[in-house]
Amino acid sequence: MRKDFFNKFAELTGKVLEHLKGIALVMILIIAVLGVIVGYKYYRHTQEDPQFCMSCHLMKEAFTEWYEGRHRGIICQKCHQLSILEQNQLLAAYVVRGNSKTFSQTHGREKPWTSCKECHMNEAIQGSLTLNKSYGHARHVFIQKVVCKTCHKGALHDFHPNENACRDCHQDKGVHGLGMEAFSCLKCHSYSEKTPSMVPKDRCVGCHTDMPKTAPMSGLLCHQCHKPHGEIKPKPAACVSECHQNETAVGQHGLHMKKGLDCLDCHKSHVWTVGQDKAKTLCTRCHPYKEPRKFIY
């Protein structure tokens, strides 16, 4: 009888254990699913939610600058990325030191500068220009291998160009004379310009509004005659040596130049044409009036 009791007890115990085993498997499965869900949400929070950055009180100012800036549509983690090793080092440092003001904030700061090209290469976003459609960027980034942070400030998400950075490389490019000595480089040079000079004409005429628009040489760029980094006021001899080499053989130009006259003695800058009204007062300073057309032919 005792033997039968032990056999039934063993049989019952086996069934209970079998039942508990099934429950344990179900519980393990539930815990695993919950772990995956929580882990996924945690991953999304840490890797795709800017609010995660705000969990550190040291980020308040930087977060505000980002929220009010042009990169607001891009999450923090798109630019600020850490490797698994860096993340664990950061976690260990946080556990040891706590959330104090002496806590290192250097994490993830260099990565953004290597990620700029990922967005600013093939499409224009946030009103900016692409690298491959701007001569200024093409020249500095691809030819001279200048990194973005050399020219852009990058202080608390302010990525405007640092106008003082130009002089660090171009020390011999100061502006000389005519009240433009205090101008910053970007006052005239435009990175959006598609010509090697990086100086669009509208930058000049934006200030010099009295320039005629229909004069014979109005189609030229201003800096073809004016050299802000050298002789900003062109010398008359440069007219002949650089462009008008054949003018001495046209009409009476050669004769007048042999008399000691230069181009600007007769031609007014930016107007150039000598019409009848102008000739009546200009030519008669030296000789009796003659029809201007006879000067050429």
Side-chain angles (χ1 to χ4, degrees):
M1 184 174 180
R2 181 179 295 179
K3 185 177 180 180
D4 293 339
F5 173 77
F6 280 112
N7 288 336
K8 289 183 179 180
F9 179 77
E11 183 181 352
L12 181 61
T13 302
K15 290 181 179 180
V16 171
L17 291 175
E18 190 69 27
H19 182 67
L20 291 176
K21 184 178 180 180
I23 294 176
L25 290 175
V26 172
M27 292 298 295
I28 291 174
L29 180 61
I30 293 174
I31 292 173
V33 171
L34 290 175
V36 170
I37 294 174
V38 172
Y40 176 72
K41 289 187 175 182
Y42 178 77
Y43 176 83
R44 288 286 303 272
H45 177 63
T46 58
Q47 300 297 320
E48 300 179 9
D49 187 356
Q51 290 296 330
F52 171 71
C53 302
M54 271 296 291
S55 61
C56 173
H57 73 277
L58 298 175
M59 293 299 297
K60 183 177 181 180
E61 186 177 358
F63 184 89
T64 302
E65 290 289 338
W66 164 80
Y67 188 79
E68 296 177 351
R70 292 186 176 183
H71 288 76
R72 177 180 174 179
I74 301 176
I75 61 174
C76 310
Q77 294 87 339
K78 173 70 175 178
C79 301
H80 299 278
Q81 300 174 3
L82 295 174
S83 66
I84 298 297
L85 177 60
E86 291 172 325
Q87 291 179 27
N88 283 281
Q89 289 175 338
L90 184 63
L91 177 61
Y94 178 81
V95 171
V96 173
R97 300 179 188 177
N99 193 13
S100 65
K101 292 184 178 180
T102 59
F103 185 69
S104 173
Q105 299 181 66
T106 59
H107 56 280
R109 283 192 169 183
E110 288 302 314
K111 177 64 177 178
W113 294 111
T114 63
S115 303
C116 299
K117 295 179 184 178
E118 294 178 7
C119 295
H120 297 279
M121 183 64 75
N122 296 319
E123 58 182 359
I125 60 173
Q126 304 149 17
S128 62
L129 287 154
T130 60
L131 291 171
N132 57 359
K133 293 183 180 179
S134 162
Y135 184 88
H137 281 108
R139 179 175 180 178
H140 286 75
V141 177
F142 298 114
I143 299 176
Q144 299 175 340
K145 306 299 182 182
V146 178
V147 296
C148 306
K149 68 177 181 179
T150 302
C151 302
H152 293 271
K153 297 176 182 178
L156 281 181
H157 303 109
D158 178 10
F159 298 103
H160 287 88
N162 181 3
E163 296 182 350
N164 296 322
C166 302
R167 295 296 297 274
D168 293 339
C169 297
H170 306 284
Q171 298 178 4
D172 60 332
K173 296 297 183 181
V175 180
H176 308 290
L178 297 184
M180 295 194 295
E181 298 89 340
F183 280 11
S184 68
C185 304
L186 298 179
K187 180 73 173 179
C188 299
H189 293 280
S190 171
Y191 265 58
S192 63
E193 181 64 15
K194 296 181 180 179
T195 60
S197 65
M198 294 171 57
V199 182
K201 190 173 182 179
D202 58 0
R203 289 287 179 96
C204 301
V205 298
C207 295
H208 304 280
T209 56
D210 57 341
M211 294 295 103
K213 298 180 180 180
T214 57
M217 289 185 286
S218 59
L220 295 178
L221 295 173
C222 304
H223 66 270
Q224 290 180 258
C225 298
H226 301 279
K227 313 295 183 184
H229 302 303
E231 293 287 345
I232 197 166
K233 188 174 182 179
K235 294 181 179 180
C239 301
V240 176
S241 62
E242 295 184 11
C243 296
H244 303 284
Q245 295 93 342
N246 298 325
E247 292 302 315
T248 55
V250 177
Q252 303 299 319
H253 280 106
L255 176 63
H256 283 70
M257 295 177 75
K258 288 180 180 179
K259 296 290 185 179
L261 297 175
D262 59 45
C263 308
L264 297 180
D265 287 329
C266 300
H267 297 277
K268 182 181 178 182
S269 300
H270 304 113
V271 177
W272 307 116
T273 303
V274 180
Q276 289 184 342
D277 294 338
K278 180 69 174 178
K280 288 178 181 179
T281 57
L282 181 66
C283 301
T284 54
R285 293 184 303 177
C286 300
H287 55 73
Y289 171 75
K290 294 181 180 180
E291 174 65 33
R293 284 178 293 183
K294 293 181 179 180
F295 183 91
I296 300 296
Y297 303 104

